[in-house]
Amino acid sequence: MPISRRKMFQSVTLAGMAASAAAAAPPADEPKLAELPDFKYDIESQTHWVGPGGSAKEATVAEFPISQSIAGVSMRLKPGAMRELHWHSLAAEWAYMLEGRCRVTVITPEGQAEVADFEVGDTWYFPRGHGHALQGLGPGECHFLLGFDNGHFSEFGTFSVTDWIASAPPDVVARNLNLSLAQLAQFPRKEVYIGTGRVPPAAPPALRNADLQPSQFSHKYRLLDQPAIKLEGGTERIVSSREFPIQTTLTASRLDLEPGALRELHWHPHADEWQYYIRGRARVGIFGSHGRAKTEEFGPGQIAFIPQGYGHYVDSLGPEPTEVLILFNSGVYQEISLSAWLGANPAHLLEDNFSAPADVVSRLPVKSKGMLGRRG
Ligand code: MN
Ligand code: MN
């Protein structure tokens, strides 16, 4: 049975109506607002970090200033190559596997551990500070998209194990690691970041500490295996903290639009939206109040950022289907659509608001379809 969008978002719509009723009238004399900033960034056309084990391309506030709340990284690992042991002090990490396979190890503050393998369509979520490492399983290179719930995660917030060991006093580290100074001197003298390594066996080898408890909350969620919400012009999958309990600060979504489909005009009351285009072409328009609007076209490897509360839509241009990965910087999903809003008002009010005759207003939608199919 298809999941009902209306049922899913009913409580959200009521909350949103209460909020809009409480909004204050605009002041008579308003200062002129700045132009809307760029909301498009081409992450895949950049070169950021390339090494023998793989590569990484970043979209942080340094590259994409509008994206204060969410940063992205497109990372590739060769078979056996590892993104070394590290944590992020400022951000939780989400990922979606685009190609290939990789293995993850993670430790939690409760001293629990998890080892999990990821294939195309799988996602992970590491709460801020959970220590983790990634390794390509082969046979080919793996490619995944990372998302962080802080646009500043990278320059101030990534802590690697080799960086720490190389920069702390050797006598302290040697004592802590039960090594002689000569043995410690063989360790890397600077951050490895992405290193080469051996392809691990198919069955994960035993952890060094056999007494560790498995993590009570999985860091893995198979997003693409979640039944999709079927809409007129495509499908949508939404993974919030309700479906994936550990993912408390982000909601992930995958939107699949048929050529010509339109993701309806809507906004998100309490979250920014970050989009990565996997495939296809789409036109996205944002509305930032006071007559300010901006439209851009997006294709594979390009990112969009839509500030919280800004009106927007996604218009799939074809000829291919359009596939989009989306992050919201909240573990709870909310949206209000224009169509639903129009249905939540009496006809006479809309007739006066739009200076439109009754037969025109009677044509307007009364509820949200989420997406409209290709124009007849
Ligand atoms: Mn990480
Ligand atoms: Mn949206």
Side-chain angles (χ1 to χ4, degrees):
M1 197 177 81
I3 299 160
S4 155
R5 266 184 83 78
R6 184 149 170 261
K7 200 165 187 177
M8 197 168 170
F9 303 135
Q10 217 158 35
S11 57
V12 165
T13 308
L14 289 172
M17 282 167 66
S20 64
D29 197 19
E30 281 184 79
K32 188 153 169 52
L33 288 167
E35 290 289 298
L36 295 180
D38 285 339
F39 72 104
K40 175 179 176 178
Y41 183 70
D42 193 346
I43 187 172
E44 290 296 349
S45 74
Q46 315 295 317
T47 307
H48 170 231
W49 192 98
V50 181
S55 66
K57 301 168 178 185
E58 283 192 351
T60 71
V61 288
E63 297 85 15
F64 191 30
I66 192 177
S67 195
Q68 294 286 321
S69 59
I70 297 178
V73 174
S74 171
M75 188 172 283
R76 291 169 174 83
L77 294 177
K78 299 212 166 93
M82 82 202 85
R83 173 71 183 90
E84 69 165 318
L85 276 68
H86 68 282
W87 75 96
H88 306 283
S89 67
L90 298 176
E93 172 177 324
W94 169 91
Y96 180 92
M97 287 302 292
L98 291 162
E99 283 171 67
R101 298 161 63 234
C102 88
R103 179 168 296 162
V104 155
T105 65
V106 56
I107 187 166
T108 76
E110 295 77 28
Q112 298 168 351
E114 185 172 10
V115 179
D117 290 355
F118 291 79
E119 298 178 7
V120 173
D122 295 344
T123 62
W124 67 70
Y125 180 89
F126 305 140
R128 187 172 59 200
H130 286 207
H132 55 277
L134 322 171
Q135 192 166 25
L137 291 175
E141 193 175 66
C142 66
H143 178 205
F144 44 93
L145 180 69
L146 297 162
F148 299 86
D149 62 358
N150 185 335
H152 294 267
F153 92 98
S154 179
E155 70 272 49
F156 307 122
T158 293
F159 291 63
S160 294
V161 68
T162 50
D163 191 13
W164 195 8
I165 287 174
S167 57
D171 62 312
V172 173
V173 178
R175 181 181 169 204
N176 198 143
L177 299 187
N178 191 34
L179 300 174
S180 69
L181 286 170
Q183 287 168 325
L184 179 62
Q186 305 305 309
F187 277 54
R189 298 315 299 161
K190 65 179 181 60
E191 183 182 18
V192 168
Y193 186 56
I194 294 174
T196 54
R198 291 165 290 167
V199 176
L207 301 178
R208 295 185 65 247
N209 179 358
D211 297 332
L212 275 175
Q213 295 295 307
S215 181
Q216 297 279 7
F217 292 97
S218 181
H219 297 76
K220 174 176 175 177
Y221 187 88
R222 309 198 69 184
L223 184 148
L224 211 50
D225 278 5
Q226 174 175 299
I229 302 164
K230 294 196 178 3
L231 305 171
E232 203 176 88
T235 60
E236 190 177 31
R237 292 173 174 82
I238 296 176
V239 181
S240 68
S241 57
R242 192 170 60 177
E243 293 79 16
F244 188 17
I246 203 171
Q247 188 182 270
T248 56
T249 65
L250 293 169
T251 291
S253 167
R254 179 176 159 132
L255 198 57
D256 287 72
L257 299 105
E258 293 158 12
L262 175 68
R263 176 71 178 89
E264 288 186 349
L265 277 68
H266 67 282
W267 70 97
H268 305 283
H270 77 329
D272 297 324
E273 174 169 346
W274 183 94
Q275 305 177 333
Y276 175 93
Y277 286 80
I278 304 175
R279 185 180 173 209
R281 283 208 79 73
R283 176 170 59 156
V284 178
I286 61 170
F287 165 59
S289 81
H290 300 84
R292 298 179 307 162
K294 216 168 198 171
T295 308
E296 295 276 10
E297 263 188 49
F298 294 85
Q302 298 179 326
I303 292 173
F305 184 88
I306 299 152
Q308 173 184 317
Y310 276 41
H312 58 282
Y313 57 85
V314 179
D315 185 11
S316 172
L317 300 175
E320 274 189 302
T322 299
E323 300 172 2
V324 198
L325 286 171
I326 299 176
L327 284 179
F328 302 94
N329 65 330
S330 169
V332 176
Y333 182 74
Q334 291 190 346
E335 77 170 65
I336 299 177
S337 74
L338 177 57
S339 298
W341 195 21
L342 295 179
N345 281 283
H348 76 85
L349 178 58
L350 300 186
E351 289 163 20
D352 293 348
N353 197 152
F354 298 134
S355 302
D359 63 312
V360 169
V361 166
S362 70
R363 293 179 54 84
L364 299 176
V366 296
K367 58 184 179 182
S368 172
K369 290 181 178 174
M371 210 187 281
L372 303 181
R374 185 202 298 264
R375 195 187 305 264

